[in-house]
Amino acid sequence: MKISADFTTIPDVFAKHTDPEYQAAGVPVVSFPFYVDDVAPDAQYLHWTFTDPDSIPVCGFEWIHWTVANLPIAALMYDFNDSHALQIPPDFSRQMVAMIPEALQGRTSQASPFVGGTDPAATMRYNGPQPPDKDHDYYLHVYATKKPLPGLSGGFWMNELVHALRNANAAGDVPDQDAIFLTGKA
């Protein structure tokens, strides 16, 4: 598998400097597009995490910006003749619920009781980069499995996704995976 995007610095429309109409509860909520290429031929489902390891010195933990599980690859429209056969389109997080209801999105760190977010548009969907101190490097890690991950429901926490991936691996459904870093501007 190979993950890529048309940028290395996340464009403003998907991050801190977006227009107010693309925010919920003061948080950017329009997700960025990316490509998933060379997926294992037997893979049927995509899962991913988008986190900010550079937030650790700022808030004491790695900020969770977006998690997705059990996205059927067959539900994505793609052209086998395209060099980027699978594309996660812009604003997919807000559209996914209507487009592919069986796919799941997990909670972001905005849902933490220490943060106090209550708006589901910010706590259970894409939560764009907002580095407060300097540019941060964000980590997008995508996995593909043959079967959906059991035991997850909408609003899962990232640790539940990690455990489900570990259990899938132990059961012989070894995830195909790749990751990239993208920069978010302060």
Side-chain angles (χ1 to χ4, degrees):
M1 174 187 302
K2 179 168 175 30
I3 305 306
S4 63
D6 289 333
F7 48 82
T8 56
T9 298
I10 299 168
D12 287 346
V13 70
F14 309 116
K16 182 179 187 175
H17 302 289
T18 193
D19 294 332
E21 64 263 25
Y22 302 128
Q23 297 179 18
V27 175
V29 293
V30 176
S31 57
F32 60 87
F34 63 92
Y35 304 104
V36 183
D37 296 308
D38 302 323
V39 180
D42 57 351
Q44 300 295 313
Y45 293 88
L46 293 177
H47 325 274
W48 63 79
T49 61
F50 180 60
T51 62
D52 178 8
D54 288 338
S55 68
I56 296 169
V58 177
C59 64
F61 56 90
E62 184 171 4
W63 193 273
I64 302 164
H65 284 272
W66 193 18
T67 54
V68 171
N70 296 339
L71 174 64
I73 292 173
L76 296 171
M77 299 179 93
Y78 58 97
D79 178 357
F80 288 107
N81 297 316
D82 188 340
S83 62
H84 291 302
L86 287 173
Q87 178 184 11
I88 304 304
D91 204 16
F92 186 66
S93 177
R94 294 191 303 172
Q95 298 171 14
M96 190 176 91
V97 175
M99 290 173 50
I100 310 170
E102 65 271 33
L104 306 170
Q105 293 187 80
R107 288 185 180 99
T108 68
S109 290
Q110 196 72 28
S112 166
F114 299 111
V115 177
T118 57
D119 185 343
T123 61
M124 292 189 23
R125 295 198 178 115
Y126 174 82
N127 179 291
Q130 301 180 81
D133 57 337
K134 61 182 178 179
D135 291 356
H136 284 199
D137 288 329
Y138 293 81
Y139 189 62
L140 174 63
H141 195 154
V142 181
Y143 307 84
T145 57
K146 298 173 200 166
K147 298 177 183 174
L149 300 174
L152 297 175
S153 57
F156 63 86
W157 288 103
M158 189 172 106
N159 65 306
E160 295 174 288
L161 174 61
V162 170
H163 292 302
L165 286 163
R166 181 185 66 200
N167 292 341
N169 186 47
D173 190 356
V174 179
D176 188 9
Q177 59 185 303
D178 191 31
I180 58 172
F181 281 98
L182 299 168
T183 301
K185 296 185 295 189

